[in-house]
């Protein structure tokens, strides 16, 4: 069946270091992927998205990489800050309607 | 407001009661989604609206769950005869159109069934 999963459930990094959060997906037909950040008591906040016709997309301090060959997605955060501490979810689209399938999340902790 | 608004933010009710959750999407967004998030878990899709119609209800877990959307804007999710396993955070998201578009989420309704 379709699934989106994460390699690392928790990640602890030092402030100023770069962070890499990984995600595996199983539906080779998925053509849209998205990363969200969720802080405690809040809804998921959109970070960055990428379509399957791209392999890299950059935003402000964030980069998403897509490797369709091995069905792998990653989120890179440059110069990680304490405010980046949150749970990060990857998600893939499940069809043309756009409803998303989410992974279980990776908790990122940034040590000052 | 500028974002997706959900109410109430918290709801505690007794098993067997009905509850109604409300979502006010971003103005102009035609697509609206409901998800459920259990403690420490990812989000589970429930239902999708395009305008007032619901082309995809595949995620509703049982016939106790229903949703409607009126005027292409506000949506309500109703759970009848609540059970303890219904306890979760119910999240609403909207996007400009359905399909490959970023979905923007509200902060959810935390539902606790005693």
């Amino acid at each position: 069946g379709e699934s989106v999963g994460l390699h690392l459930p928790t990640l602890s990094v030092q402030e100023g270091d770069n962070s890499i959060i990984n995600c595996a997906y199983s539906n080779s037909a998925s053509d849209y992927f998205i990363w969200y950040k969720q802080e405690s008591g809040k809804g998921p906040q959109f970070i960055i998205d990428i379509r399957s016709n791209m392999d890299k997309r950059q935003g402000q301090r964030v980069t998403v990489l897509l490797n369709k060959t091995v069905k792998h997605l990653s989120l890179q955060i440059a110069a990680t800050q304490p405010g980046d501490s949150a749970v990060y979810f990857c998600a893939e689209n499940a069809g043309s309607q756009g409803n998303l399938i989410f992974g279980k999340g990776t908790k990122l902790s940034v040590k000052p | 407001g500028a974002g997706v608004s959900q109410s109430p933010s918290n709801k505690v009710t007794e098993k067997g009661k009905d509850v109604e959750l409300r979502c006010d999407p971003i103005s102009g967004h035609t697509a609206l989604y409901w998800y459920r998030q259990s403690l420490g878990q990812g989000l589970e899709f429930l239902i999708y609206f395009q305008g007032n119609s619901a082309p995809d209800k595949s995620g509703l877990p049982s016939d106790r769950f229903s949703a409607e959307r009126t005027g292409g804007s506000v949506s309500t999710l109703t759970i009848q005869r609540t059970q303890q396993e219904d306890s979760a955070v119910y999240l609403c998201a909207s996007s400009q159109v359905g399909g490959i578009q970023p979905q923007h989420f509200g902060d959810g309704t935390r539902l606790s069934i005693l």
Side-chain angles (χ1 to χ4, degrees):
Chain A
E2 299 173 347
S3 68
V4 176
L6 294 166
H7 294 178
L8 297 173
T10 60
L11 179 65
S12 184
V13 301
Q14 203 70 36
E15 181 178 359
D17 287 351
N18 297 334
S19 302
I20 299 176
I21 302 172
N22 295 302
C23 179
Y25 65 95
S26 61
N27 187 354
S28 57
S30 291
D31 57 2
Y32 178 69
F33 304 88
I34 190 165
W35 281 99
Y36 285 96
K37 171 187 180 183
Q38 187 174 30
E39 296 173 291
S40 181
K42 300 281 190 181
Q45 176 188 357
F46 169 75
I47 302 173
I48 192 167
D49 58 359
I50 188 167
R51 302 195 180 194
S52 60
N53 60 352
M54 303 172 69
D55 53 21
K56 180 179 180 178
R57 191 166 187 218
Q58 288 184 292
Q60 186 176 15
R61 283 203 304 119
V62 294
T63 301
V64 55
L65 299 177
L66 175 63
N67 186 330
K68 295 180 288 293
T69 302
V70 295
K71 291 186 282 188
H72 184 267
L73 191 69
S74 68
L75 176 70
Q76 300 178 359
I77 304 173
T80 314
Q81 302 168 2
D84 295 327
S85 294
V87 177
Y88 289 79
F89 292 96
C90 63
E92 61 180 310
N93 75 311
S96 61
Q97 312 275 26
N99 55 290
L100 298 171
I101 295 175
F102 283 78
K104 287 189 174 6
T106 291
K107 182 176 181 179
L108 175 66
S109 295
V110 182
K111 296 176 287 188
Chain B
V4 176
S5 178
Q6 292 188 248
S7 61
S9 54
N10 286 282
K11 177 71 176 178
V12 180
T13 193
E14 293 180 345
K15 176 182 171 181
K17 300 285 189 184
D18 297 351
V19 295
E20 191 172 277
L21 312 179
R22 176 188 169 107
C23 172
D24 203 337
I26 293 172
S27 178
H29 281 193
T30 61
L32 186 147
Y33 305 81
W34 284 97
Y35 294 85
R36 178 169 71 174
Q37 185 174 31
S38 299
L39 186 63
Q41 300 293 312
L43 280 69
E44 171 193 11
F45 168 74
L46 298 178
I47 189 169
Y48 155 67
F49 285 91
Q50 180 59 47
N52 291 338
S53 64
D56 189 352
K57 303 180 182 180
S58 62
L60 294 178
S62 76
D63 59 7
R64 295 186 295 105
F65 288 71
S66 63
E68 65 175 17
R69 189 180 185 194
T70 55
S73 180
V74 172
S75 176
T76 55
L77 176 69
T78 301
I79 310 173
Q80 295 179 309
R81 305 180 303 281
T82 52
Q83 303 293 313
Q84 287 187 331
E85 61 262 29
D86 299 333
S87 295
V89 177
Y90 290 81
L91 290 155
C92 176
S94 69
S95 64
Q96 286 186 326
V97 295
I100 302 176
Q101 291 273 328
Q103 295 177 22
H104 300 277
F105 284 82
D107 286 336
T109 294
R110 183 175 299 277
L111 178 63
S112 300
I113 309 299
L114 303 178

